[in-house]
Amino acid sequence: MAFRSLLGKTKPLLGFRPIDQRLGLSCRGLQTFSLPDLPYDYGALEPAISGEIMELHHKKHHQTYITNYNKALEQLHEAMEKGDTQTVVKLQSAIKFNGGGHVNHSIFWKNLTPVSVSGGDLPHGNLGWAIDTGFGSFEKLVAKINTEGAAVQGSGWVWLALDKELKKLVVETTANQDPLVTKGPNLVPLVGIDVWEHAYYLQYKNVRPDYLKNIWKVMNWKYAGQVYDEFTSQV
Amino acid sequence: MAFLNTSPTHSTTINLLSSHSFSQLKLPKPSLGRRHIPQALKASKVLSFYGLTTPPYDIDALEPHMSQRTLEVHWGKYHRDYVDGLNKQLENSPLYGHTMEELVKITYNNGNPLPEFNNAAQVWNHDFFWESMQPDGGKMPWGGLLQQIEKDFGSFDKFKEEFVEAALTLFGSGWVWLVLKKKEKRLTVIKTSNAVSPLVWGDIPILALDMWEHAYYQDYKDDRVKYVNTFMNHLVSWHAATVRMARAESFVNLGEPKIPVA
């Protein structure tokens, strides 16, 4: 499944497990990450998001996060082998920022889909019920996310998340490229919306609320519903 | 096109307006009519209103390094939004009557920022940023400022390196500054997140570079390296920095005290 293959790659970051494993196998090459393909063409989300924005966002911005994340991992690897704790600690901010950028964007691409596929189709099934129960209605959820997304100072993300312990939906925001997991270890991202200016400036300029209003037209609720089902059916 | 011709109602700084003048401006009005204000207060209350300050050059004067289109959106929309947002928040607020610098310090509230802080700081930051640039800028500082830079950074090139490095390693939106540290009596490069201004720590800002994406995206897309180097080589106003430094020196004694011999 698409979700698995994508998150399967980024999962190591969240748990830091493979890095621990690699410590014991230091002779092995370091695992690096590469840019995942977009599941649609750059222009496929127009007019909600322009092809120019999508191309820059994917090819340049996401690629830069990956490049710098790989660089930081390499330095981390080296520092850990040397037992250089100072450097290990110093690298954490670059890992959070660039690794977070990779995690977040990988989710974001999955969250969107062209109208001709199923973009903007309302959530139904279990997730649809959970939204109605948790927020009153779908419209109320959208209004809440739009308000909180517009209020993010500077760069960041707004999320619809599942608290997998409490089996409850929550809206969260994170600053810069902090991934959702920094807001709580039980939070599973269902929908993440990038409110960095690079996500909308070329088309919407200073009017972030219009970008937020339009992004729902290309939202992939099918994907969000699959993730929801996967994590709520786990015992 | 000159800035002065763009929008007469917004392009001048408007302070201490009487309530009467509000009706002539297309600016949000305090809702005086709907609220009960004691007669004594009404008579003595001074209403003020923060206006959008105009950059000290024409809107196309920084071309090709910073395009007219960028200025139109950055100054004409973003900066204006911060001013409008601030006035809206301050409607009938006792915080009126401060200079913008005071307002930034007060609303920072010792690290527990009040809701007005972001707008106030962004208004001040942008005013300061426009004045940190000039047409045909860049090149070298001179005189006392250059000496101080050489003293505190080793050389002008080292300062430049440090400034560029700070800009490129900033995570997310924010600003890079050359400031004079009052206690340490030295120039330092610092970076701040989002709206935060070094004023809040008592530093004296000498230069500012806006590293929000909206500052450079139109002209440079994701190429921050090119934007930062262009600022250094073609835009930065060492004139403005020199003037600010001269003013700063009335608060900070940078030399050894010269006590006259009797």
Side-chain angles (χ1 to χ4, degrees), chain A residues 52 56-57 60-61 64 93-94 97-98 153-155 176 196-202 205-206, chain B residues 69-70 73-74 77-78 81 118 170-173 193-195 212-215 217-218 221-222:
Chain A
E52 190 188 10
L56 283 164
H57 202 170
K60 300 275 190 167
H61 289 275
T64 304
S93 58
F97 184 73
N98 294 299
Q153 287 299 328
S155 305
N176 299 331
W196 278 62
E197 287 169 333
H198 66 235
Y200 61 88
Y201 177 89
L202 289 177
K205 299 296 183 290
N206 57 322
Chain B
R69 183 77 191 116
T70 291
V73 176
H74 196 178
K77 291 182 188 286
Y78 281 88
D81 276 358
N118 280 306
L170 180 78
F171 294 135
S173 305
S193 273
N194 296 338
W212 285 57
E213 285 174 322
H214 67 235
Y217 214 78
Q218 182 80 38
K221 304 291 185 301
D222 67 319

Side-chain angles (χ1 to χ4, degrees), chain A residues 1-15 17-18 31 33 102-103 106-107 110 223 230:
Chain A
M1 199 170 63
F3 169 67
R4 270 274 165 238
S5 63
L6 197 68
L7 272 200
K9 269 194 148 182
T10 52
K11 221 172 189 171
L13 164 80
L14 303 173
R17 259 166 290 155
Q31 187 195 352
F33 295 84
H102 175 43
V103 171
S106 299
I107 297 166
K110 294 276 160 196
Y223 164 77
E230 188 181 339

Side-chain angles (χ1 to χ4, degrees), chain B residues 14-259:
Chain B
I14 303 150
N15 282 319
L16 304 171
L17 284 174
S18 71
S19 60
H20 170 71
S21 329
F22 275 115
S23 58
Q24 290 153 18
L25 293 166
K26 287 176 197 155
L27 300 166
K29 298 171 193 174
S31 52
L32 289 175
R34 264 170 274 146
R35 275 182 213 191
H36 176 72
I37 297 168
Q39 201 56 47
L41 263 181
K42 232 189 227 172
S44 66
K45 193 171 183 185
V46 178
L47 286 171
S48 69
F49 206 83
Y50 296 105
L52 180 64
T53 322
T54 311
Y57 35 76
D58 287 350
I59 196 163
D60 61 355
L62 302 180
E63 294 259 14
H65 309 296
M66 191 175 277
S67 67
Q68 174 173 342
R69 183 77 191 116
T70 291
L71 269 279
E72 280 168 358
V73 176
H74 196 178
W75 173 73
K77 291 182 188 286
Y78 281 88
H79 191 171
R80 186 185 304 265
D81 276 358
Y82 292 123
V83 175
D84 289 349
L86 179 66
N87 281 320
K88 215 171 152 190
Q89 283 175 315
L90 290 183
E91 225 177 346
N92 293 334
S93 158
L95 286 171
Y96 261 135
H98 294 289
T99 64
M100 196 56 66
E101 185 171 333
E102 288 166 347
L103 195 63
V104 170
K105 288 179 185 171
I106 291 168
T107 55
Y108 185 67
N109 194 24
N110 293 317
N112 304 295
L114 305 178
E116 295 87 354
F117 173 74
N118 280 306
N119 283 324
Q122 283 295 69
V123 170
W124 191 91
N125 293 347
H126 281 90
D127 283 342
F128 194 82
F129 176 54
W130 304 132
E131 291 176 8
S132 295
M133 296 185 290
Q134 64 169 68
D136 198 25
K139 306 179 189 76
M140 290 274 293
W142 57 88
L145 176 57
L146 179 61
Q147 280 174 15
Q148 192 65 33
I149 286 175
E150 285 170 344
K151 183 177 166 218
D152 294 336
F153 295 95
S155 69
F156 178 66
D157 282 343
K158 277 206 181 127
F159 152 74
K160 244 164 104 170
E161 241 170 64
E162 207 176 300
F163 194 90
V164 171
E165 172 73 10
L168 298 179
T169 52
L170 180 78
F171 294 135
S173 305
W175 297 80
V176 180
W177 307 83
L178 173 65
V179 299
L180 181 64
K181 294 246 166 217
K182 266 192 211 156
K183 270 187 212 151
E184 294 85 345
K185 298 183 180 189
R186 56 171 302 170
L187 290 168
T188 309
V189 169
I190 58 169
K191 44 190 173 182
T192 60
S193 273
N194 296 338
V196 176
S197 149
L199 283 179
V200 301
W201 304 300
D203 296 341
I204 303 176
I206 304 296
L207 285 174
L209 172 60
D210 191 343
M211 288 306 293
W212 285 57
E213 285 174 322
H214 67 235
Y216 60 85
Y217 214 78
Q218 182 80 38
D219 298 328
Y220 298 97
K221 304 291 185 301
D222 67 319
D223 197 346
R224 289 152 70 96
V225 177
K226 197 168 174 203
Y227 167 62
V228 175
N229 282 311
T230 303
F231 174 82
M232 264 299 151
N233 297 330
H234 300 286
L235 291 171
V236 66
S237 174
W238 289 112
H239 281 281
T242 302
V243 172
R244 287 162 176 170
M245 198 64 187
R247 179 182 169 274
E249 282 188 67
S250 46
F251 300 95
V252 182
N253 185 354
L254 293 170
E256 295 297 318
K258 285 182 190 135
I259 300 164

